[in-house]
Amino acid sequence: MRVAVAGASGNIGSLTVTALRRHGHDPVPISRSHGVDLLTGRGLDEALSGVDVVVDAISAPPADREATARYFATTTQNLLRAEQQAGVRHHVVLSIVEVHRIAGTAHYSGKREQERLVSTGPVPWTIVPATQFFDFGATVASWTERDGTAYLAPLLVQPIAPADVAEFLTVAAGGPPQGRHPGVAGPDRHDLVDMARRTHQVLGRDMKIVPTWEAILGADMAGNVLLPGPDARIAPMTFDDWLAEQEAERVRPG
């Protein structure tokens, strides 16, 4: 099956391209580096020629809520328009577990707008909500780091390996449209501050992590609000196993 991947040069997108090939599909990468601009629509009609399914794994550049929502709205509308014209029969989009329960960041606002457009759009769809990725703690810490100190909310999360997210997206793309897919998550719960500290340690980075509710992620994300529901599909890889992979990659010769 011919499956286009929007955001193919990103972390999840590139892993999804690899997973699609492993499952015997013919992936079509969509990104600016592949000559397609989702904001303008340039190259999109040509890229979707003969495509059966689109997987949308794009991520918005850092911006305020209004700009992020506008980015997701524009790219999603351009995708859906081109898909309808090309006869694409299934639109699969990566979203966030419990994205409608909390205000969250600008990214959350953008994903809510993206979900709204997909679920009311002209192409049959599947929304795959995932929990935070294993590298989320270190990523958020990098947003607030100043002079070797970062400030991070002590959130309770049940994170998932990026490669496992790509696997779920690939399986969804190979099946019929499902509407809202059950949430997907990793097997264990973790404190985000501890995750950030351990990730930086494994990567050999010297950074002090200060727990606080006054950083980017606020108290509206405290408690269980970021955790998946009881029907969640649980991925196999643990955070400990992922950390071991990162360390092995760092110390590998050459």
Side-chain angles (χ1 to χ4, degrees):
M1 186 162 55
R2 196 165 170 81
V3 183
V5 180
S9 60
N11 183 23
I12 301 299
S14 60
L15 289 169
T16 302
V17 169
T18 300
L20 286 164
R21 287 199 182 101
R22 188 170 62 250
H23 281 256
H25 299 299
D26 179 18
V28 178
I30 291 179
S31 69
R32 283 194 296 273
S33 63
H34 292 90
V36 183
D37 190 333
L38 291 177
L39 277 174
T40 66
R42 178 178 59 85
L44 190 52
D45 291 336
E46 295 82 359
L48 293 185
S49 177
V51 163
D52 303 293
V53 181
V54 169
V55 175
D56 185 354
I58 66 170
S59 182
D64 60 28
R65 287 179 186 271
E66 183 177 340
T68 302
R70 188 164 58 246
Y71 176 88
F72 276 115
T74 301
T75 55
T76 300
Q77 287 166 340
N78 285 340
L79 263 175
L80 294 175
R81 174 201 57 76
E83 288 173 27
Q84 185 179 30
Q85 184 171 318
V88 172
R89 57 182 177 80
H90 188 186
H91 181 96
V92 178
V93 61
L94 173 63
S95 191
I96 306 170
V97 162
E98 304 299 345
V99 71
H100 297 280
R101 288 185 60 188
I102 53 178
T105 64
H107 188 72
Y108 276 60
S109 297
K111 295 299 286 185
R112 284 192 290 270
E113 176 62 9
Q114 183 185 47
E115 283 198 14
R116 185 188 70 80
L117 291 168
V118 168
S119 62
T120 59
V123 181
W125 52 277
T126 300
I127 293 173
V128 181
T131 55
Q132 290 67 37
F133 307 149
F134 283 156
D135 58 356
F136 184 63
T139 298
V140 177
S142 71
W143 297 344
T144 66
E145 190 269 334
R146 295 291 184 276
D147 299 323
T149 299
Y151 301 88
L152 189 60
L155 302 178
L156 179 63
V157 294
Q158 191 168 328
I160 185 170
D164 286 336
V165 174
E167 187 71 15
F168 278 114
L169 291 172
T170 295
V171 172
Q178 301 179 48
R180 193 163 190 86
H181 188 283
V184 301
D188 304 308
R189 296 178 180 181
H190 293 273
D191 173 76
L192 192 65
V193 172
D194 180 64
M195 287 177 62
R197 286 173 175 157
R198 294 179 65 193
T199 303
H200 282 290
Q201 182 179 18
V202 161
L203 296 178
R205 300 172 183 164
D206 185 18
M207 183 182 294
K208 179 182 179 181
I209 310 292
V210 178
T212 177
W213 290 111
E214 298 179 357
I216 291 177
L217 307 177
D220 63 327
M221 303 176 83
N224 294 336
V225 297
L226 296 179
L227 300 181
D231 63 340
R233 308 290 171 81
I234 304 302
M237 179 170 278
T238 68
F239 182 58
D240 288 347
D241 288 341
W242 180 82
L243 283 176
E245 284 190 356
Q246 304 310 299
E247 185 168 26
E249 181 67 25
R250 182 176 70 87
V251 302
R252 182 175 296 140

